[in-house]
Amino acid sequence: MKKSFLILVTAIMFVLAGCGSKPTLSEWVNGKDIAEVESTANATYASANITVDISADGAPLLVPPPAPPQPPPPTRPARP
């Protein structure tokens, strides 16, 4: 019983440690890079009376894995 409980606690610790390392969307949007993009866009479009306001809620930021390479399309044999 103690061994099962220890394994459960260890697994929960690893899950919680893994979740804490990924930035949320709001952390990324409120970062320095996005603030620079927003100020550049506002400066660019100021003459047209357009303002840019980038915002996001606290949803986790998920980056999909790259797509696997596609095989080349089949070739048709030449007609005689």
Side-chain angles (χ1 to χ4, degrees):
M1 181 71 174
K2 284 184 178 182
K3 186 175 182 181
S4 298
F5 182 71
L6 182 61
I7 291 172
L8 177 64
V9 169
T10 305
I12 291 173
M13 288 175 51
F14 280 120
V15 168
L16 291 177
C19 293
S21 64
K22 295 182 179 171
T24 64
L25 184 58
S26 63
E27 289 171 347
W28 182 70
V29 168
N30 294 329
K32 187 175 94 175
D33 295 335
I34 300 300
E36 290 174 5
V37 169
E38 186 175 346
S39 64
T40 303
N42 282 326
T44 303
Y45 299 120
S47 63
N49 292 329
I50 297 173
T51 58
V52 176
D53 182 26
I54 302 173
S55 63
D57 61 5
L61 180 60
L62 302 176
V63 179
Q70 298 294 321
T75 59
R76 294 184 184 174
R79 292 188 176 178

